[in-house]
Amino acid sequence: MAFSPNASQVDDGLKSELAKKGIVVTTLNQLYNWGRRSSIWPMQFGLACCAIEMIATACARYDIARFGAELFRPSPRQSDLMIVAGTVTKKMAPQVVRLYNQMAEPKYVITMGACSIAGGPFIDGYNVLRGIDRYIPIDVHLPGCPPRPEALLYGLMELQRKIDGQEIETTEWYQKGLKREYPIPDFGPHGLIPKFNPEVWNPRETENRKERYGEPILIGRKDKAPNLDLPPAPPRSAAPAPAAPPPEPAS
Amino acid sequence: MTEKTFSLHGAGDMDTQTLEINIGPQHPSTHGVFRMNVVLDGETIVSLKPVMGYLHRNHEQIAENMSYTGSMPYTDRLDYFNSMSNNFGYAMAVEKLANIEVPERAHYIRIIMAELTRLVNHVSVIGFLLNDLGAFFTPVLYAFREREKILDIFEEVAGARMMCNYLRFGGVKYDLSPEVLARIAGILKKFPKFLEEFETLLTKNEILCMRCQNVGVLPAELAVSASVTGPMLRASGVNYDIRKADNYSLYERFKFRVPLGQKGDVYDRYYVRILEMRESLKILEQAVKEIPAGDIMSKKMVPFLKSPRNFKPPVGEAYARVEAPKGELGYYVVSDGTAQPWRYHVRAPSFINLTILEDLCIGQKVADAIIILGSVDIVLGELDR
């Protein structure tokens, strides 16, 4: 995504001259974006392991307060940013979409960790959603398992850069007819219905998984249960059993 | 199960209606994505039904479809506060299955790591418990300050802060350098001062005492019959610690005591954890002083570090358990002679400790249910698996 720098049109020399006399010249866009990006309130919403790193980011060593994002709000109505921190399961996905719908505009989403981007290590699980971007639009993807607190701060700075590039005239939430409420999927007996939201995500047209990754590695087949009643096999390096003593000659 | 009785205060002959409310899954004090269906009469809890499965990510099924070593990093993500203890239990189960001897130095390293995780877990849990009590975030700041120092050691040793993936069957992955041991010794010197600071602020704090004492009392009989383990069981006065009962690894060499509570209320559960941290410090001091030189991996298992798919334990089953910070963490592994386990099951302490939540909460106020849940110390990754 290309960010426009949203630079001021005022000459730099004139600006510094005026600044000496205590006058600041700026554009409305810059002032507006400065205010918005310096007070992003995240939602206090942890899903799994990454939530602990999110809490660590809020604590003293990493101190997300330096970026103005320390005020974790438990309510979606008061928050600007949703950090999807952790594995989104199929049972939890309707709640995540509902929370996104309940947030007030302007709203941003960071996916934190490999699980919420694409399923991560649990992608093979029958109950794990392969990426929350199938249902809601994402602003910043943040890889890692879990990402370090520094990575979350970097993701926040990227989001601030994105906010800096926005303009009042063209932003979505001031336009007429904005619809940013996405349909909430149903948790049915065979997973989520619908499987994805075509407004934000579409499956790849060509399946080139085999060309890219090769055949899946099958390391064993499970046909029948092991018989645990058998005595354990003797260890390979065991010494041969001593021969039976010769029978004593009858006297 | 005991019969639950509750009384309405001052209702007289008026008709009152019960109110059903839903706490979670997005709630600041349910410790993750856990949901409670609570029926309230006024502010008193009439019934409470826990709803789980919001973080069910198929750990067992995934582990049955990959090599034995392959599911070691997945065990980190069970109880994501203390990955080293989870690795410990799983490594012990597979070592029992395949009859692997562990060198003495590896045993010592494992014990050092397991006790450091116990410090991390207990200190964070107390922080979150106070968060639920209303001291918003300040105790967590104190707790995470100490946690970061211990995580630095994990990072230096294993390469990752939280998800360490450090233990292997037959030993550990990397050796401890003398500098790391010196740093651990440095932490051991400073940690008691932090505990004293924490206790000055909390233990005799009147608000904490009033909120926690005689709340959520867990009788010893109920705790035993519901197979509750860990600090919850010991807070009820039952002397049962797997480190003493099983003497697994080399725990019999260390001198430590098992702290017990008297009543089994929330305050006892808080205080048992503080005392357990002091005992963990004792174990760590002895371990750092006495750690022997030698191998860190058993010779039999060194070739499998490079080729884990060739590791095929003989047919059989094994159950191994460790005293994780939350309770008895057990792993049950059945091998059919191939490179994948035939069956793999985790006995998660959070899940089994949570079964008595309704018994603890009935008759209490709804604000007390939050702190009772906080004192049970659940982690959803382990609960739902």
Side-chain angles (χ1 to χ4, degrees), chain B residues 159-270:
Chain B
R161 277 159 54 85
M162 273 174 69
M163 307 303 179
C164 303
N165 186 15
Y166 179 52
L167 270 61
R168 291 289 179 276
F169 311 129
V172 295
K173 186 82 186 293
Y174 307 108
D175 202 356
L176 287 190
S177 64
E179 294 86 47
V180 173
L181 281 173
R183 282 181 63 183
I184 296 174
I187 282 188
L188 297 183
K189 260 182 211 160
K190 285 176 191 162
F191 206 87
K193 282 179 198 159
F194 157 73
L195 272 183
E196 274 164 30
E197 183 190 13
F198 218 43
E199 277 208 80
T200 327
L201 294 170
L202 300 178
T203 300
K204 288 180 183 170
N205 188 323
E206 197 172 342
I207 302 171
L208 187 102
C209 292
M210 285 176 71
R211 280 296 304 277
C212 292
Q213 283 176 349
N214 297 320
V215 169
V217 177
L218 174 64
E221 304 85 52
L222 176 61
V224 173
S225 64
S227 69
V228 170
T229 45
M232 275 198 78
L233 178 68
R234 292 194 284 276
S236 297
V238 183
N239 189 352
Y240 183 70
D241 188 321
I242 296 166
R243 289 175 290 178
K244 292 273 189 195
D246 260 16
N247 271 336
Y248 62 88
S249 192
L250 290 179
Y251 268 111
E252 71 236 352
R253 292 196 188 176
F254 299 99
K255 279 183 193 159
F256 66 100
R257 294 186 301 167
V258 180
L260 296 179
Q262 288 178 338
K263 279 188 218 157
D265 53 0
V266 174
Y267 187 82
D268 276 359
R269 274 169 235 151
Y270 152 77

Side-chain angles (χ1 to χ4, degrees), chain B residues 298-352:
Chain B
S298 97
K299 295 241 163 51
K300 190 176 153 196
M301 291 303 292
V302 170
F304 296 117
L305 279 179
K306 287 272 170 64
S307 58
R309 282 185 204 134
N310 293 342
F311 175 58
K312 291 172 186 168
V315 179
E317 57 179 346
Y319 177 79
R321 53 187 195 161
V322 291
E323 178 73 29
K326 294 182 166 58
E328 175 185 337
L329 176 66
Y331 288 86
Y332 174 66
V333 188
V334 179
S335 164
D336 57 352
T338 60
Q340 297 164 317
W342 169 262
R343 179 78 178 98
Y344 169 88
H345 177 72
V346 184
R347 187 238 188 249
S350 303
F351 178 61
I352 293 169

Side-chain angles (χ1 to χ4, degrees), chain A residues 19-65:
Chain A
K20 282 174 194 163
K21 292 175 183 170
I23 298 167
V24 176
V25 179
T26 182
T27 60
L28 187 59
N29 271 332
Q30 271 185 335
L31 187 68
Y32 176 71
N33 287 335
W34 170 76
R36 284 197 311 125
R37 69 153 202 196
S38 313
S39 63
I40 301 171
W41 289 5
M43 185 154 63
Q44 189 181 11
F45 172 49
L47 285 170
C49 335
C50 293
I52 310 299
E53 288 295 64
M54 193 173 77
I55 296 167
T57 318
C59 284
R61 184 183 282 187
Y62 299 101
D63 198 11
I64 205 171

Side-chain angles (χ1 to χ4, degrees), chain B residues 56-161:
Chain B
H56 174 54
R57 35 186 193 185
N58 330 116
H59 173 64
E60 290 172 6
Q61 286 276 300
I62 289 174
E64 282 163 16
N65 284 302
M66 57 171 45
S67 66
Y68 282 87
T69 318
S71 54
M72 184 67 90
Y74 286 83
T75 57
D76 290 340
R77 287 152 182 84
L78 273 178
D79 177 358
Y80 32 81
F81 270 107
N82 28 36
S83 57
M84 294 281 195
S85 300
N86 301 342
N87 289 351
F88 198 176
Y90 180 53
M92 270 177 60
V94 177
E95 279 155 14
K96 216 171 173 180
L97 192 66
N99 264 328
I100 303 166
E101 289 283 317
V102 182
E104 202 177 342
R105 185 175 172 87
H107 271 306
Y108 269 84
I109 296 177
R110 285 176 176 194
I111 287 173
I112 289 175
M113 292 303 155
E115 296 303 319
L116 282 176
T117 28
R118 200 181 308 280
L119 293 180
V120 168
N121 180 72
H122 283 355
V123 88
S124 326
V125 158
I126 291 170
F128 287 124
L129 172 65
L130 276 130
N131 211 349
D132 296 343
L133 274 166
F136 185 69
F137 224 66
T138 314
V140 181
L141 288 178
Y142 280 82
F144 270 62
R145 186 185 67 191
E146 299 307 310
R147 180 179 177 265
E148 294 287 345
K149 291 175 190 165
I150 296 176
L151 291 198
D152 279 353
I153 289 174
F154 289 167
E155 195 179 348
E156 195 168 335
V157 170
R161 277 159 54 85

